[in-house]
Amino acid sequence: MSSDRERAPDADTEYQHPEDDGPEPEKHCGHGRGGMGEEVNRKEDKRFITGRGDYVDDIKKPGMLHCEIVRSPHAHARVEEIDGSRAEAMDEVVAVLTAEDLLAHDLATMPTLMDDTQDVLVNEKVKFQSQEVAAVIAEDRYAAKDGAQKVEVEYDVLDPVVDAEEALEDDAPLVRDELDDQEDNHIFDWETGDKEETDRVFEEADVTVEEDMLYQRLHPAPIETCGAVADWDPGKDKMTVHMTSQAPHAHRTLFSQVSGIPEHKVRIVSPDVGGGFGNKVPIYPGYVVAAAASYVLEEPVKWVEERSENIQTTGFARDYDMTGELAATEDGEIKGVKVDVLANHGAYNAAAQPSKFPAGFFNIFTGSYDIEAAHGSLTAAFTNTAPGGVAYRCSFRVTEAVYLIERMVKVLADELDVDPAEIRRKNFIPSEAFPYESATGWNYDSGDYEKALDKALEMADYEHYREEQQRRLEEDADKLIGIGISSFTEVVGAGPGKQCDIAGIEMFDSADLRVNPTGNAVLRVGVQTQGQGHETTFAQIVAEELGMDVDDITVEHGDTDTEPYGLGTYGSRSTPVAGAAAAVAARKVRDKAKSIAANELEAAEEDIEWDRESGEFHVAGAPDRSITITEIAAGAYMNHPGGEEPGLEATNYYDPPEMTYPFGSYIVVVEIDRETGEVDFEKFVAVDDCGNRINPMIIEGQIHGGLAQGIGTAMMEHVTYDDNGNVTGGDFMNYLLPTANEIPNFETGHTVTPSPHHPIGAKGVGESPTVGSPPAIVNAVVDAMSEAGVSHVEMPMTPDVVWEKLDEVGLSHQPARNVEFSVEDGEHADD
Amino acid sequence: MKSAPFEHYEPTTTNEATSLLESLDDPTILAGGQSLVPMLRFRLANPDVVVDINGIDSLDYLREEDGYLKLGALARHADVEDSDLIDERYGSFADTAPLVADPQIRNRGTVAGSVAQADPKGDWGSVLLAHEGEIVAEGPDGERVIPADEFFLLPYDTTLGEDELITEVRIPTPEPREGSAYHKLKRKTGDYAMAGVGARLVLDDDGRIETAGIGMTAVDITNAQATDAEQHLEGERPSADLFETAGELAAEASNPESDEHGGADYKERMVDVLAQRALGDAAERAGAVRRKVTQ
């Protein structure tokens, strides 16, 4: 343990830490044992930093075979014939599998999370480029790849449809002709809010604005691609699958349903996961192929994707083509919001969201504002592109919703010529209005939006940059300044189980806490870390609630044979749901500890009190008659009170009563080169409010990572296709991810508005920066040109896109003429 | 990297390498591997034989000799980036090296290999064109010196013979009043150029431009020379107006296509902007004093 932990005098029993309005976040506010609010070093970092992490691809089993998937070069084609004989003739090749082989085991198709049916290996028709057509199983991965190159597939190539709008035209190629009731490429329509009321508000409004914007197709692009090692044990009739999973238990249930193997004979292990970001929530054909191959061949089979396979075939995110409208009074009071969306879902409806929410939580698009009328409509279409629509570091389409409203507020501010900070302030849901019910039916738990905005404005030196912006415009300077704001509100922490589910399983989560006789403890949770730091933060929750030292608690996750059932980690739900379960389980243990303490201290149980500050139990009125949790643990096993069960453990399955609503204000200052369109970040301020903070250092790390991803989104990332359905942005040469060179210095700050319904007042934070930052960045670029009439710039804002906008409104520059060169006669002095 | 199987030869002398190139059937040369290895990995290249020249220590040099700056075939981008000689005397090389790809690629990739790859989006070809550089090749008939402006034919295609090995690329050492520069526009670190322009200016005793060289990246089917712009500059005194016209002429000489790196019109405009920037830096490095004037 570090010795420099300080006791914060202000940490009270409800963790209602007075908010720190100073420039530096508080470093320590706990009790010195690594509890709530302490910047404990991450327990998991030792193994990651020293190269001792265990990822799926690190697993080696005796006799293990390797799987390589043969993929279609075409986006839309009938498979006429598959000839695997040349591959099968290779010594190292064990088998070539096609849909026909899988049909024999009833494994040819698998359900998507939205209850569509996807081919595991193409049965009749390829529906997107790189779709899985056959699989080669060989003794090593090189031979598997060699074999895959030798599989000959004859295709009858069909016209593809790539664009969602074209897909809905009458003469569009039919993507899903195998479905009896599917006569076009339309998947579903979805509607929210009150259309009549919203139309009325728009008719009566002084001002209305409208803007089209595309949230382009992104890929979560985790550094570790997807993979699995499937191991069918014919002796035990048991299937063990080590796989890159963000939701091991849900995957166990789905695996059992797909394969027919009873669920108690299926074990899913998610070892260390190298980033998920929503990409590892769905089931992919490769997992099923590996399992089927292991079942048939009775040997372990490993399948690990290459980078381009990951980007080209696994769950993409976004691809929402949106039209937003706002209605307002002439002094900037927003009265109504409308949005219409065309969603490209790819070849299957394989979005990863609660099944009752076909458009996810998109109807949070009223954002941080008190808007009386709202209406949204959405149409989803099939196209010959990879399936997806996963929640890339966000809760189910919240990112698209936040982008829409934060962009529209800027459009309105420009239309009315008012300061974008002021128009936000004017329309924020007031802090005293919480809990607040939005026009689309969300129950916001708590918020103080103005406070976060004020703090961000101060940190960003907002007025200074506004003046600098004007000065540059007046001087016709070569570089323009733009200032963008995003005051976002998120909705995270799904369930409640009655509203949210995966394939029918309610979105609760779980924690199982066992205190050992020697006073340390193991906490098992149903969520699965992919870099979020659960092994540290969840231990901190227990340390806080039991007065233990954080180093005495081990957190385990990812193995369905030992962990309690949970729904996994995505949508910033781990702290809101499993974190709550951990706190409640620890409190149950604390209650039982009281009876043991009473026994040990020879007092009545109702006279035993627990002191959060010291972490000890003592007799009321006699603080020196105290006992530690370590002593109590010994008592639980070696001297347990008669009439009670021995041991000291508790389990909690937590179904959240509501979701949580973290928020924040981000301010981005950009400098734009008028000659080239290049955008530089001058300042990047992020003020977040995620309620009570468990580990400020981990939160800051999460914010930094998410902001980097937001910059990637706004500036360079895009999964592109050509008209033939070829993926043209399907590898890291063409799908651009930001590096440290593209990332500016971030200035982070925070406010603390606890969630009133969460056991420790926390809200979840992992996705706030990814959700909140893209509109701030786009608003900044637009802001630099808004006086010239620019209302929108599409992402990704590469230099050419920005320059074309500059040129369109007459802001582009030639290199300066005001330069003079003079040359002295004679020899050059330096040479 | 799951390439198809291939035979791997590791010569330790140039002679050994050239006799392997002559005797083996359709060999592929591996130097830094920063283009070849990804192609092997995607199985876009499926060579039966790879001749790996990384063991030929005599090709690992960067030095001035006989009136040339010489880079042996194993000089890496990072060697250029880290060289004090380059920093002091070769502005365009000092500009280019840190703009090539990313640090990992620069640690392995070679300048000569990049030139041999002849990707029109590669940077070094433009710099060689601006400097009247040369490519030195060893083949069955001995050494051959190929001027840079006779080297590039098509994307990924050059006048190098199949049994020839590039041993060196070189440019003349600078004249007393010479300056050079390279400007590149890219979408992110590691990305190829959207457009790039290298410029070299030699001034005479009167302060007039005696020699001008301009090479362009990613705006034609090969690295390309802006000959009209060069001619327009020669005999004139450096000035913003002169460079403006040269920029326009370079843009006219370019022939970009619209692709993921931007539209053709944009790239053409950027040739103009980058040429003016590179010429301004080159003039300053040649000894001209650049100052802002109030209009």
Side-chain angles (χ1 to χ4, degrees), chain A residues 190 320 322 339 341 359-365 396-397 400-401:
Chain A
W190 168 88
Y320 262 28
M322 307 186 277
V339 52
V341 184
F361 299 169
F362 185 71
N363 53 352
I364 192 82
F365 62 75
F396 322 115
R397 307 292 192 182
E400 291 91 326

Side-chain angles (χ1 to χ4, degrees), chain B residues 47-89:
Chain B
D48 292 325
V49 181
V50 169
V51 176
D52 180 347
I53 63 166
N54 285 282
I56 309 176
D57 295 341
S58 63
L59 294 180
D60 189 6
Y61 59 87
L62 183 164
R63 59 177 174 246
E64 282 184 335
E65 191 177 65
D66 305 330
Y68 289 101
L69 168 71
K70 297 179 169 181
L71 280 71
L74 291 179
R76 320 271 168 186
H77 308 294
D79 295 333
V80 180
E81 193 177 2
D82 297 342
S83 161
D84 291 339
L85 171 69
I86 295 290
D87 272 353
E88 283 161 23
R89 286 170 58 81

